Amino acid sequence: MSHTSKVIDGLHSQIDTLSTDLNETKAILAETKQKYSILQRRNETLVEQVSNAKHQAEVSEALLKRKERRVTDLENQLTDALSSNDTMKFESDNLKSRMNKLQEKENTMIAECERLQVAYDAVVSSQRD
């Protein structure tokens, strides 16, 4: 009987050890499930943050492209304005030159008119005499 008791005691001891191992494994499993749940929520949060960051990057890229197009448009407008300014300056210089020539011609005509007036007055005066 003693041999049977020893076997039963050994089996009870093994059952206790296995029960303890099972309880520890269940505790570890519960802790692992809890950590998994926490990591899953953290992962979802990170995925959402990455999605938001991608969206923000796309918006920023679109804004940058619009600003670059605006800069290009403004550069083209500046080039056009400078070209127009050069053209207007050239035309202005030509008009000033033409005006100076006309003023010189006018002064010459006034002097000629005054000379003719003096000659006319002299002719009239000699005619009276």
Side-chain angles (χ1 to χ4, degrees):
M1 189 115 135
S2 114
H3 180 54
T4 308
S5 293
K6 283 184 181 182
V7 171
I8 291 174
D9 283 343
L11 287 174
H12 277 299
S13 174
Q14 197 175 9
I15 288 172
D16 289 341
T17 303
L18 289 174
S19 293
T20 303
D21 287 348
L22 178 62
N23 289 336
E24 286 176 6
T25 304
K26 283 182 180 179
I28 290 171
L29 177 61
E31 184 180 335
T32 303
K33 283 183 178 179
Q34 186 178 11
K35 287 180 181 178
Y36 175 76
S37 176
I38 290 169
L39 289 175
Q40 196 172 19
R41 285 190 300 249
R42 189 176 294 167
N43 186 44
E44 289 171 0
T45 302
L46 290 175
V47 167
E48 186 177 327
Q49 287 176 350
V50 167
S51 176
N52 289 341
K54 282 182 181 179
H55 176 68
Q56 189 173 5
E58 290 170 355
V59 169
S60 295
E61 187 176 340
L63 285 172
L64 179 61
K65 285 182 181 179
R66 275 199 298 271
K67 298 240 182 227
E68 287 173 346
R69 282 194 304 271
R70 180 70 177 137
V71 166
T72 302
D73 290 346
L74 289 173
E75 286 173 346
N76 291 338
Q77 288 178 5
L78 177 62
T79 301
D80 292 345
L82 291 174
S83 175
S84 177
N85 186 40
D86 288 344
T87 302
M88 293 297 176
K89 185 175 181 193
F90 179 75
E91 288 178 12
S92 174
D93 290 345
N94 284 343
L95 288 174
K96 283 179 184 177
S97 174
R98 187 172 172 204
M99 184 183 73
N100 287 338
K101 287 178 184 176
L102 288 174
Q103 282 180 335
E104 287 175 13
K105 190 173 182 180
E106 179 186 18
N107 291 339
T108 303
M109 295 295 230
I110 289 173
E112 179 66 19
C113 184
E114 289 174 353
R115 188 186 64 73
L116 288 173
Q117 184 68 40
V118 169
Y120 177 76
D121 290 344
V123 168
V124 169
S125 175
S126 70
Q127 192 76 33
R128 287 188 194 146
D129 291 339

